[in-house]
Amino acid sequence: MRALRTTLVVLVILAGVFVAVDRVAVYVAESQAEDRVKVDGARIGSTDVSIKGFPFLTQLAGSELDEVDVEITGIETTAAGRTLRISTMNAELHRVRLTDGFSGATAAHATGTAVISYEDLTKAASDGVAVEYGGKGKVKVTGTVDILGRTLSRSVLSSVTLVGGHTVRVHADKVPGEGIPGLEGLIREKTDFEREVGGLPNGLKLEKIQPTADGLEISVTGTDVRLAG
């Protein structure tokens, strides 16, 4: 009986050591992964990587991780000569294959959400244009135009849609013409615009967009999503 108790104590200790080593390995792997995450053609501010599943060491031995959660903050790309910044992007990556001596990683499937703030959308719009939340799934776009020697400022409610799975289109539902010839066209030249959303990891595509009080919320999904390597 005493020998059995001793064996059990040893097993408990070994299990604790294994768990501790496993968690340390996860922490080290997450830290290294955060430094290696990169997106082609874009600058990123910071990344946070969380490796799910236990034990980690057996997943590592098989060169495939069950799930990896990634948060990327401040993805910046250039669209139409202007910087378009994605405030945050959160993604759940499943069946992540480790390649190139663990320096590369590709997920079999991924889903997530990207957010573009109205401040950043304003910077990506034309000069003299401001974009904010308009309520009920719309955005409010305010622009100024010069006509007949007068500077006019007009605000319109606009719909936001996706074009081709990679471009955000902002289009005014209605523009007040006020009987002035050409006024509607001049206002639309300011308030209506399209911007390509680049900077997402290879393999991710835009699925759905929804204006919210916090910004444009974009659902993303993809297969064979490459984060590094």
Side-chain angles (χ1 to χ4, degrees), residues 3 13 19 29 33 44 47 86 116 177 182 185 218:
I13 292 174
V19 171
I44 59 178
T47 59
I86 299 174
I116 300 175
I218 307 172

Side-chain angles (χ1 to χ4, degrees), residues 56-92:
F56 165 71
L57 291 174
T58 56
Q59 296 181 66
L60 185 63
S63 297
E64 184 173 294
L65 307 179
D66 296 336
E67 179 183 339
V68 179
D69 294 348
V70 178
E71 179 179 351
I72 305 178
T73 301
I75 305 174
E76 292 187 0
T77 60
T78 299
R82 292 178 177 272
T83 297
L84 179 60
R85 181 178 184 272
I86 299 174
S87 304
T88 59
M89 190 201 71
N90 294 283
E92 292 183 0

Side-chain angles (χ1 to χ4, degrees), residues 91-95 106-113 200-207 219-226:
E92 292 183 0
L93 312 176
H94 299 275
R95 291 168 47 207
T106 301
H109 178 66
T111 58
T113 302
L200 296 178
N202 290 340
L204 276 183
K205 61 180 181 179
L206 312 182
E207 284 289 326
S219 299
V220 298
T221 186
T223 56
D224 293 329
V225 178
R226 185 165 61 88

